[in-house]
Amino acid sequence: MSEHERFLRTFHASHPGITARALERGGSYARLAARVPGGRVLDLACGDGALLARLPAGSIGLDLSREELGVTPRTVQGRAQALPFSDGAFDVVTCHLGFMLFDDAPRVVAELRRVLVPGGRFVALLGGGPVASGPGAQGEDAFHRFLDALAPHLASPRRFGDPRAKSEAGWRELFAGWSTPVFERCELDLGGTFDEVWTFLGASYELKPEVGAAIRAELERSFPPGVRVPCRVVTWLAEVVRR
Ligand SMILES: C[S@@+](CC[C@H](N)C(=O)[O-])C[C@H]1O[C@@H](n2cnc3c(N)ncnc32)[C@H](O)[C@@H]1O
């Protein structure tokens, strides 16, 4: 297990459910679930089961973190790089904000190929950072302000996963031999009260506890009290079909 994987396991052990709380207002769980009509489904890196709860009855979840899984039924602790399932066990594998974090993405792709039936689908939502354009994209958006405030505290930002996991060209390379019918931009609006927006920003893997309170206070001061705080996030919805 790499240093990054150990970090993710430790982080999620002490913050179970953090991703679901951060993202639940954005609608992405429902969007991903809507692409899964039925069949035998695995939700990879399922966290506390926020997507799993919206998937067809009988779907199974897997996550690295025992604490994330909690008492969620039909879940298994394991690694995406070594799935504890037999060949052709699933018709669909989903993954909400997990694939771009995985070490050894080619190994994960090989495991997906193995556990999916021919014609089976892998449907994933990938994190893409703050929006780069549009109204309020730069200075006014809380995600941009947060990253600016965080930057002086990041000696060397962690680079999780394989860079190819975040772009369409990279997906075509990683999933060579599969078909890629969908790779679409999917913007989430996480704006709201400052507290609501902080639920998302404060969930950053890069935010060290010792600077969290100061960054939060600095950011909160930068918005007039009572305004709706803008916060938009780019994600990518990607789907590949195993030939
Ligand atoms: C950003 S969270 C997403 C959780 C959940 N899918 C959601 O969106 O609510 C990333 C999850 O990936 C899990 N994870 C990280 N590396 C993993 C690996 N190699 N195999 C399985 N799960 C992994 C973490 O434990 C964590 O629960």
Side-chain angles (χ1 to χ4, degrees):
M1 191 178 284
S2 71
E3 190 202 322
H4 280 157
E5 210 169 312
R6 265 196 299 278
F7 170 85
L8 289 169
R9 199 178 57 175
T10 308
F11 181 93
H12 282 276
S14 51
H15 302 82
I18 190 168
T19 312
R21 287 191 294 281
L23 272 297
E24 63 187 358
R25 291 179 311 112
S28 54
Y29 293 106
R31 206 150 174 174
L32 203 55
R35 302 194 84 92
V36 182
R40 297 165 302 160
V41 184
L42 168 67
D43 184 27
L44 188 58
C46 66
D48 71 342
L51 176 62
L52 195 58
R54 293 165 165 90
L55 292 174
S59 299
I60 292 174
L62 174 136
D63 200 278
L64 186 62
S65 161
R66 167 53 51 206
E67 291 78 3
E68 279 281 4
L69 297 172
V71 292
T72 312
R74 300 187 68 85
T75 56
V76 180
Q77 185 179 17
R79 297 179 66 235
Q81 295 83 353
L83 295 174
F85 304 108
S86 54
D87 298 1
F90 298 102
D91 302 300
V92 182
V93 177
T94 56
C95 189
H96 184 277
L97 296 181
F99 185 72
M100 68 289 163
L101 299 173
F102 297 151
D103 284 339
D104 199 356
R107 178 77 236 143
V108 178
V109 173
E111 281 295 81
L112 289 169
R113 166 175 283 284
R114 185 182 66 72
V115 301
L116 278 167
V117 287
R121 291 183 300 139
F122 177 50
V123 191
L125 191 86
L126 310 165
V131 292
S133 61
Q138 298 296 335
E140 294 160 30
D141 189 279
F143 199 175
H144 280 281
R145 287 192 192 180
F146 171 73
L147 294 177
D148 287 348
L150 191 60
H153 303 282
L154 291 180
S156 52
R158 288 192 181 84
R159 303 266 176 243
F160 294 104
D162 187 315
R164 291 174 293 179
K166 289 186 187 172
S167 73
E168 182 165 8
W171 263 59
R172 291 190 191 283
E173 199 181 318
L174 283 170
F175 289 93
W178 301 50
S179 62
T180 311
V182 180
F183 198 98
E184 61 191 33
R185 193 176 188 277
C186 176
E187 196 176 302
L188 310 183
D189 184 355
L190 296 176
T193 65
F194 183 81
D195 284 350
E196 286 170 337
V197 170
W198 185 258
T199 307
F200 165 68
L201 299 174
S204 166
Y205 290 133
E206 300 289 7
L207 186 63
K208 296 202 173 70
E210 59 272 24
V211 295
I215 289 181
R216 184 192 161 124
E218 177 187 338
L219 203 61
E220 189 166 15
R221 272 196 307 274
S222 78
F223 292 100
V227 297
R228 182 181 192 277
V229 175
C231 183
R232 290 184 298 145
V233 181
V234 176
T235 62
W236 299 97
L237 189 66
E239 188 170 327
V240 282
V241 181
R242 179 201 190 292
R243 292 217 172 96

